[in-house]
Amino acid sequence: MRAAPAPRRSLVEMGAIPKLVCILRGGPQAEGLEAALGAIEALSDGIPEAQDSAREHGVLPLLSPLLDRDATPADIRDNSLLALRALVDGNDQSVAAAREAGVGGGGPSSP
């Protein structure tokens, strides 16, 4: 069961998203990666402020290598996909940014 929106918004306002994105910068071997992906998913699910903050802090390009079937364990790929879903759901700017980052299904968009 997902936490209510108000506490999740409070965590976003307190700066949780940039700290979680920082963990993802360590790549597939980063300590705490699965927990960070889960927290990004939980905070971003239905919370536009969290989706926007994560996008602005560069989360979407970081997800691309985590979704690589040949380089990443299945559990990390699964958690990355769940985080991606939460980040783009109902957020057109994040959908466009995901496509630009090569994680939106169509590869990087051309200018």
Side-chain angles (χ1 to χ4, degrees):
M1 186 155 134
R2 189 73 67 210
R8 292 187 288 142
R9 281 190 177 94
S10 293
L11 288 168
V12 172
E13 290 170 7
M14 292 188 303
I17 294 291
K19 291 170 179 60
L20 295 166
V21 172
C22 186
I23 294 170
L24 271 62
R25 292 188 192 288
Q29 305 306 317
E31 186 173 335
L33 179 61
E34 283 188 78
L37 288 165
I40 288 170
E41 176 198 0
L43 291 174
S44 299
D45 193 15
I47 306 292
E49 300 90 342
Q51 295 169 331
D52 294 343
S53 177
R55 183 185 68 249
E56 291 162 6
H57 284 92
V59 74
L60 294 167
L62 299 173
L63 289 176
S64 187
L66 299 176
L67 293 166
D68 183 342
R69 183 177 306 257
D70 296 326
T72 309
D75 54 341
I76 298 295
R77 285 194 321 268
D78 291 347
N79 286 328
S80 298
L81 190 57
L82 291 169
L84 176 61
R85 184 214 46 87
L87 288 162
V88 301
D89 189 35
N91 190 314
D92 292 341
Q93 287 181 312
S94 291
V95 169
R99 286 187 178 131
E100 184 68 29
V103 294
S109 63
S110 55

